[in-house]
Amino acid sequence: MGDAATATRENRTITVDFQDESTYLPLLSDGKAFVEFVVAFLLALGFQLKHKATCHGGGCLTRHSHYARVRLGGLTIWRMQCTTCKAVFTVLPHFVMRYRRMSPDVARQALIATHGGLSLEWCAVICHISPMALYRLICAFGQHSVVMVLTRCGLPLPRYILVDEKHSRCLTDKVYLPTIVRGRVLWHLGYSDAKSAAAFTASYGDFQRVALQIEPSYRVRGALTDGFDSTTQSMRTLFPGARLGYCLRHALNKLPSKLMGVSAPVRKSLRSQFHTLLHRCRQRTSLRVVALGQRLRHFADSIATTVGADHGARVRNWFQAKKAGWYTVLADPRMPASSTLLDQAHNTMDRKLFAMKGFHHRGGSQAVFLTGLAHLYNLIPYQRRALHAGQCGVEVEGGRVPTSDWMLNLQILTSGGFR
Ligand SMILES: [Zn+2]
């Protein structure tokens, strides 16, 4: 937990897949074979160990010591030391979880149930663990940054992103979850109790900081938002050169609210005209922005003549305020046009957060818990009947996961000892 004395020591625990407990046990008595196995595992993954900053040793390891873990029925865990920088790596076999009595199989069942939308309480009942143990387990994975884990899977940092905040509640307080999505992967799921530009900038800044550590020249080229002021401002502050677009589907859904007092069938028909208008513009290969400008003008005029001048004026003002963001979407074909994939991610999170109200309290570890949920979202494969059945979000986006077992991937990728 948040102990200052232990926090200063680097976590260099790595999870290694020994395939079988019966492979692990004989290796324990053969130091050379053990080290060779671990090195081969690292090579296969293409990962490097996190040595001390001064180390140029290039991954030389020796057996350092071993100690018995009494808690796990006397299971022996090895620690290995770099001969150059003296960094010590703790090697956890895949069938043990760091600092946890819970077996990975129990954790797997509980995590998949909670990912599927079952409440923490029910997951705990089914798996015979305490709800708090499950909460802490998710928080433990959430100690590791999403950006770090995704880049370990070989995903490039996202140049075009979807950005929005999920509105949620912490007991009676309104809270916000600033979110960054690229395709089917969550790159950031933050937590903020204010909806100011400053608060959002701080949250999205967490994402930017880790991304810049990984790639100092990282720049966002385009971001799609729903046009909310604080979101747009925070994007301008953090990514000054990025194109900022507004979601077209969001615009579509907003139109009826600009026509208050107009009968439902008329609003519906205008919405569908607006849909056709946006769709036609997107289909054009050239002069899309010019076409959109013209069509928006005509559409506002026709609303003024058919429904009334005041409605026409209101819609025209709205177009005026938003059209720059829509132009941006049309001007760059690489810009995402709608935030549907982000809404899907938010709906998934919503189900989980709703199911765990009892654990949502002011003193909780919301940020790490949410990060843990984001890992599950990215790494748990889609179910049998889904479009990308059997693949996880990371794989759908072209990333590579270490093994075919998502639970093992979660353990390996959130190991503290990899660089
Ligand atoms: Zn070293």
Side-chain angles (χ1 to χ4, degrees), residues 51-52 55-60 82-87:
H51 289 254
K52 292 185 184 169
C55 182
H56 306 287
C60 315
C82 168
T83 41
T84 314
C85 69
K86 310 289 180 223

Side-chain angles (χ1 to χ4, degrees), residues 262-333:
V262 177
S263 74
V266 174
R267 283 196 298 184
K268 219 171 161 185
S269 121
L270 288 171
R271 184 188 183 278
S272 97
Q273 282 179 42
F274 191 37
H275 179 265
T276 315
L277 183 160
L278 292 174
H279 184 67
R280 293 247 167 87
C281 287
R282 282 206 72 211
Q283 283 191 318
R284 290 178 65 105
T285 47
S286 63
L287 296 174
R288 296 161 95 188
V289 171
V290 180
L292 179 64
Q294 271 174 4
R295 283 168 202 211
L296 288 178
R297 262 196 311 281
H298 292 159
F299 188 51
D301 290 346
S302 96
I303 287 177
T305 48
T306 53
V307 198
D310 50 339
H311 289 299
R314 199 177 315 115
V315 169
R316 199 173 291 120
N317 287 341
W318 178 55
F319 284 171
Q320 202 60 38
K322 300 288 173 183
K323 67 182 184 190
W326 300 334
Y327 289 169
T328 305
V329 172
L330 292 178
D332 184 346

Side-chain angles (χ1 to χ4, degrees), residues 4-129:
T6 55
T8 51
R9 209 195 313 147
E10 282 254 36
N11 164 17
R12 288 199 175 84
T13 304
I14 58 171
T15 293
V16 172
D17 178 14
F18 288 93
Q19 275 126 40
D20 206 294
E21 252 174 274
S22 59
T23 318
Y24 180 68
L25 298 175
L27 281 174
L28 285 178
S29 51
D30 185 347
K32 192 162 167 285
F34 188 91
V35 175
E36 274 168 10
F37 190 100
V38 173
V39 169
F41 174 79
L42 293 175
L43 276 177
L45 290 189
F47 284 177
Q48 282 182 317
L49 293 175
K50 188 161 69 185
H51 289 254
K52 292 185 184 169
T54 49
C55 182
H56 306 287
C60 315
L61 293 165
T62 59
R63 182 169 62 147
H64 172 55
S65 65
H66 59 273
Y67 62 92
R69 257 170 76 137
V70 189
R71 270 207 316 198
L72 287 152
L75 180 72
T76 308
I77 305 288
W78 273 50
R79 311 179 79 193
M80 303 191 318
Q81 188 174 39
C82 168
T83 41
T84 314
C85 69
K86 310 289 180 223
V88 175
F89 299 90
T90 303
V91 180
L92 273 194
H94 61 282
F95 50 87
V96 179
M97 288 201 300
R98 187 167 180 251
Y99 299 146
R100 248 148 261 281
R101 215 182 303 228
M102 201 186 293
S103 85
D105 284 330
V106 171
R108 174 198 309 271
Q109 295 304 326
L111 290 174
I112 202 126
T114 187
H115 179 70
L118 199 62
S119 73
L120 281 191
E121 285 88 341
W122 275 112
C123 298
V125 166
I126 288 171
C127 302
H128 306 288
I129 52 177

Side-chain angles (χ1 to χ4, degrees), residues 18-267:
F18 288 93
Q19 275 126 40
D20 206 294
E21 252 174 274
S22 59
T23 318
Y24 180 68
L25 298 175
L27 281 174
L28 285 178
S29 51
D30 185 347
K32 192 162 167 285
F34 188 91
V35 175
E36 274 168 10
F37 190 100
V38 173
V39 169
F41 174 79
L42 293 175
L43 276 177
L45 290 189
F47 284 177
Q48 282 182 317
L49 293 175
K50 188 161 69 185
H51 289 254
K52 292 185 184 169
T54 49
C55 182
H56 306 287
C60 315
L61 293 165
T62 59
R63 182 169 62 147
H64 172 55
S65 65
H66 59 273
Y67 62 92
R69 257 170 76 137
V70 189
R71 270 207 316 198
L72 287 152
L75 180 72
T76 308
I77 305 288
W78 273 50
R79 311 179 79 193
M80 303 191 318
Q81 188 174 39
C82 168
T83 41
T84 314
C85 69
K86 310 289 180 223
V88 175
F89 299 90
T90 303
V91 180
L92 273 194
H94 61 282
F95 50 87
V96 179
M97 288 201 300
R98 187 167 180 251
Y99 299 146
R100 248 148 261 281
R101 215 182 303 228
M102 201 186 293
S103 85
D105 284 330
V106 171
R108 174 198 309 271
Q109 295 304 326
L111 290 174
I112 202 126
T114 187
H115 179 70
L118 199 62
S119 73
L120 281 191
E121 285 88 341
W122 275 112
C123 298
V125 166
I126 288 171
C127 302
H128 306 288
I129 52 177
S130 79
M132 202 35 126
L134 179 53
Y135 177 78
R136 291 209 180 106
L137 174 69
I138 297 173
C139 288
F141 290 121
Q143 299 288 345
H144 301 269
S145 123
V146 174
V147 177
M148 210 59 103
V149 166
L150 292 178
T151 48
R152 276 177 189 171
C153 298
L155 285 179
L157 292 170
R159 308 284 152 182
Y160 292 87
I161 54 179
L162 300 174
V163 188
D164 194 14
E165 301 81 28
K166 169 100 211 111
H167 294 212
S168 187
R169 282 192 177 277
C170 182
L171 299 181
T172 53
D173 298 340
K174 283 199 99 173
V175 297
Y176 307 87
L177 316 183
T179 310
I180 298 179
V181 159
R182 164 79 200 166
R184 291 181 184 273
V185 165
L186 270 170
W187 282 88
H188 178 71
L189 186 63
Y191 184 84
S192 160
D193 50 16
K195 57 173 171 180
S196 62
F200 290 172
T201 307
S203 180
Y204 293 124
D206 291 341
F207 160 82
Q208 187 192 38
R209 196 164 25 78
V210 186
L212 287 175
Q213 272 168 22
I214 292 169
E215 192 186 316
S217 63
Y218 175 62
R219 295 287 174 273
V220 168
R221 298 240 176 81
L224 191 81
T225 74
D226 64 3
F228 185 60
D229 246 6
S230 298
T231 320
T232 329
Q233 277 185 43
S234 67
M235 287 296 111
R236 284 218 179 90
T237 310
L238 292 169
F239 310 113
R243 292 166 178 270
L244 294 183
Y246 296 156
C247 168
L248 297 185
R249 203 180 43 80
H250 212 270
L252 205 53
N253 294 337
K254 203 89 190 174
L255 179 72
S257 73
K258 304 289 163 193
L259 300 166
M260 285 313 208
V262 177
S263 74
V266 174
R267 283 196 298 184

